[in-house]
Amino acid sequence: MTKYGSFPGTRPRRLRTSPVMRRMVAETRLHPADLILPAFVREGVSEPVPITAMPGVVQHTRDSLKKAALEAVEAGISGIMLFGVPEEAKKDGLGTAGTDPDGILQVALRDVRAEVGDDLLVMSDLCLDEFTDHGHCGVLDAEGRVDNDATLERYAEMAQVQADAGAHVVGPSGMMDGQIGVIRDALDQIGREDVAILAYTAKYSSAFYGPFREAVGSSLTGDRKTYQQDPANWRESLRELELDLAEGADMVMVKPAGPYLDILARVADAVDVPVAAYQISGEYAMIEAAAEKGWLDRDRAVFETLTGIKRAGARTILTYWATEVAQKLR
């Protein structure tokens, strides 16, 4: 006798019988518009420089960056997040190359904006770590500690020069207290109310940033545990979220993505603004390395991790696979 409401009458496997059935009932779908490509541009190089810890990712020249931006447009992704890598001799304690209108990041922003116009959101990392000789995200005080309020003054200037260079969106990633409000005020003061802020709201002090240090030529000594969040905590992410929204954040982010899907889900449930997640360098490197060893199916692993990030609540995902994945989705 058939039983309904329980086995054998109820068989969930009926909805998994074929690819078309699984596609029809899928609860989470990736789309090219969900994706943002992080990209590095290096000053003083004539050819793209491979990043050894991130196979397939390079430090771009100005010309190769423009080509990557056009490929991103053709693939249908939403944005490109730019990180500048200055010549070592141009680094100093204040990160002045980061606010120089002719610094590599500002030059690259102008290049890409001229190349793609408004067909791709041109985003800029707003932080000093690439430009300081000590590698920290802010200005140091006399005792070698990151000076929060002195750093905010530098961020305000940085926001203005990035906006002038053509950024549609700025991404403050330094985790300084009050940074969103200061940056919003700085942008509004120069009549750039149109420039959006993607707040790095929950940015954890993570071991998975390792390959990124090579990508940006980091000069970091010590660590960033006094300003990035402790991986053991989740409540302070919601506190940071409340503060960022009150200060004027247009979008919020959780970084890293994979190890913090619980945080991502909590943030997504708590807000009505777009939520982003950054699948960072270490997450990328792990899959690429395991695939190179033949230990897993690379493409399946890439799509599975991205689907998991979106399922957890991200509307937008920053990933080094953005263009490749978008091409395959299309």
Side-chain angles (χ1 to χ4, degrees):
M1 180 178 179
T2 300
K3 296 181 180 179
Y4 296 97
S6 62
F7 180 82
T10 301
R11 294 178 182 266
R13 287 182 56 191
R14 293 189 188 110
L15 301 183
R16 305 172 195 149
T17 53
S18 68
V20 69
M21 176 66 82
R22 293 191 294 273
R23 184 181 65 192
M24 183 184 76
V25 301
E27 300 172 27
T28 304
R29 301 180 193 275
L30 288 173
H31 188 278
D34 299 333
L35 306 174
I36 295 170
L37 176 69
F40 309 99
V41 56
R42 179 170 172 177
E43 188 172 25
V45 294
S46 58
E47 298 290 338
V49 179
I51 300 168
T52 57
M54 300 175 68
V57 181
V58 301
Q59 294 172 326
H60 285 286
T61 66
R62 289 173 62 185
D63 285 340
S64 69
L65 178 65
K66 289 187 285 186
K67 181 180 178 182
L70 287 174
E71 289 175 349
V73 172
E74 292 168 0
I77 72 173
S78 288
I80 186 168
M81 175 69 78
L82 301 186
F83 296 83
V85 184
E87 293 177 339
E88 197 67 28
K90 294 185 179 180
K91 295 181 180 182
D92 59 24
L94 297 177
T96 52
T99 51
D100 180 355
D102 295 319
I104 183 60
L105 182 53
Q106 282 67 253
V107 169
L109 285 167
R110 289 195 292 271
D111 284 345
V112 173
R113 187 67 189 271
E115 196 74 20
V116 303
D118 294 329
D119 292 337
L120 185 71
L121 288 174
V122 180
M123 305 177 170
S124 56
D125 178 60
L126 200 165
C127 195
L128 292 173
D129 59 324
E130 299 102 307
F131 306 102
T132 55
D133 53 12
H134 47 73
H136 279 286
C137 296
V139 178
L140 303 186
D141 63 18
E143 297 181 14
R145 301 170 301 188
V146 175
D147 186 325
N148 190 95
D149 295 6
T151 299
L152 294 182
E153 295 179 17
R154 301 287 296 124
Y155 285 2
E157 185 179 355
M158 201 172 195
Q160 292 175 339
V161 298
Q162 290 181 354
D164 286 342
H168 293 103
V169 180
V170 295
S173 60
M175 290 300 287
M176 296 297 120
D177 294 341
Q179 63 183 15
I180 302 303
V182 166
I183 289 167
R184 183 73 269 159
D185 287 346
L187 291 169
D188 292 353
Q189 285 169 14
I190 62 168
R192 296 309 307 270
E193 296 89 351
D194 58 323
V195 174
I197 299 176
L198 170 56
Y200 284 58
T201 292
K203 183 179 180 182
Y204 283 86
S205 180
S206 172
F208 293 96
Y209 296 132
F212 184 86
R213 307 281 189 254
E214 177 190 349
V216 296
S218 176
S219 302
L220 180 65
T221 55
D223 58 51
R224 296 177 175 141
K225 293 180 180 179
T226 63
Y227 45 102
Q228 293 178 351
Q229 286 183 224
D230 186 338
N233 296 344
W234 67 266
R235 288 182 178 85
E236 67 175 331
S237 292
L238 299 185
R239 186 184 187 198
E240 293 277 5
L241 175 64
E242 182 180 0
L243 292 168
D244 282 355
L245 292 175
E247 291 173 24
D250 299 290
M251 299 171 279
V252 297
M253 184 196 295
V254 174
K255 181 180 181 181
Y260 296 92
L261 294 180
D262 60 325
I263 307 301
L264 176 58
R266 291 176 190 271
V267 169
D269 286 345
V271 300
D272 56 5
V273 300
V275 176
Y278 196 146
Q279 186 181 50
I280 66 170
S281 59
E283 298 175 76
Y284 176 95
M286 286 192 302
I287 290 176
E288 291 289 348
E292 184 180 352
K293 292 283 189 180
W295 293 341
L296 51 73
D297 182 317
R298 175 186 180 274
D299 287 0
R300 284 187 63 194
V302 169
F303 275 84
E304 185 174 340
T305 56
L306 291 172
T307 301
I309 293 166
K310 188 171 183 186
R311 188 184 64 243
R315 188 178 303 181
T316 303
I317 305 170
L318 288 83
T319 176
Y320 299 99
W321 289 301
T323 300
E324 176 190 344
V325 166
Q327 291 168 341
K328 290 175 179 176
L329 287 170
R330 290 168 69 91

